[in-house]
């Protein structure tokens, strides 16, 4: 389980899971957006920003869902969800303002939170379809991993609240670097494809980490059974 980072064999095992394949398909959808609909860097960074909002919503669902394992988690979640909403929402808002200015050159007036969402959704006519695909695969993860595979029994509201931050920081740094190349290159298509590549590689990393986490949980469960025996 602790093989070298992004070992081809480990990646292959991770993508035997249909949910992982669905996630990879959604990660590759921006290629369709670029090649079929002519998307540039602006709608791509807007899509990836909207993805972080979707992740925030499902994080709230997961925080509340931990109550199915222990009722005390419900009280904790009801306290922590408003804090997370304000804190994570403010975090996304700050990044959204940066991306908006970065993409538009500061031509737009200062955006409200809803104004940022409206701007992002309006960057391409097909945006709602791509956001819908992200929502669908996030719901699939929630149903299969969190509920079906019992993740709600091995977590708590505090752990769930902190989980998106490392992802959003890493992803935004990658997006900013990729977008900087995309906006500045004389070959904008190459820059946009680089941005997609960065996002796909990040998605592969997250999928491998998801498999490692699941295998660790299985091993821990087997160890407990052996100890009881």
């Amino acid at each position: 389980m602790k093989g070298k980072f992004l070992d081809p064999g480990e990646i292959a095992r991770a993508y035997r899971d249909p949910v992982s394949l669905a996630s990879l398909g959604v990660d590759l959808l921006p290629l369709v957006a670029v090649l079929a609909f002519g998307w540039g860097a602006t709608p791509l960074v807007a899509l990836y920003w909207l993805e972080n909002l979707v992740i925030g919503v499902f994080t709230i669902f997961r925080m509340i869902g931990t109550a199915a394992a222990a009722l005390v988690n419900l009280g904790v979640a009801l306290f922590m969800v408003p804090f997370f909403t304000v804190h994570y929402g403010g975090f996304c808002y700050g990044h959204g303002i940066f991306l908006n200015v970065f993409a538009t050159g500061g031509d737009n007036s200062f955006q409200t939170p809803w104004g940022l969402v409206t701007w992002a959704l309006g960057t391409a006519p097909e945006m709602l379809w791509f956001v819908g695909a992200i929502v669908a695969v996030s719901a699939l993860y929630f149903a299969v991993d969190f509920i079906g595979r019992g993740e709600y029994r091995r977590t708590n509201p505090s752990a769930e609240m902190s989980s998106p931050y490392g992802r959003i920081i890493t992803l935004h740094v990658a997006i900013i670097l990729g977008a900087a190349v995309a906006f500045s290159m004389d070959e904008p298509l190459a820059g946009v494809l680089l941005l997609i590549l960065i996002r796909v590689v990040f998605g592969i990393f997250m999928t491998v980490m998801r498999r490692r986490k699941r295998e660790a949980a299985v091993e821990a469960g087997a160890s407990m059974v052996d100890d009881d025996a």
Side-chain angles (χ1 to χ4, degrees), residues 29-41 44 130 188-189 192-193 196:
L29 276 179
L31 283 175
V32 178
V34 171
L35 300 177
F37 302 115
W39 279 26
L44 276 181
F130 289 91
L189 179 58
V192 168
L193 293 178
I196 295 173

Side-chain angles (χ1 to χ4, degrees), residues 70-91:
L71 189 58
V72 67
N73 286 339
L74 179 59
V76 176
L78 291 178
F79 171 77
M80 298 183 78
V81 163
F83 175 80
F84 172 79
T85 301
V86 172
H87 190 270
Y88 184 83
F91 199 83

Side-chain angles (χ1 to χ4, degrees), residues 47-64:
L47 176 65
Y48 294 143
W49 180 75
L50 289 167
E51 180 183 19
N52 288 319
L53 300 187
V54 173
I55 290 168
V57 171
F58 277 93
T59 297
I60 291 173
F61 292 163
R62 291 171 69 95
M63 292 171 67
I64 296 173

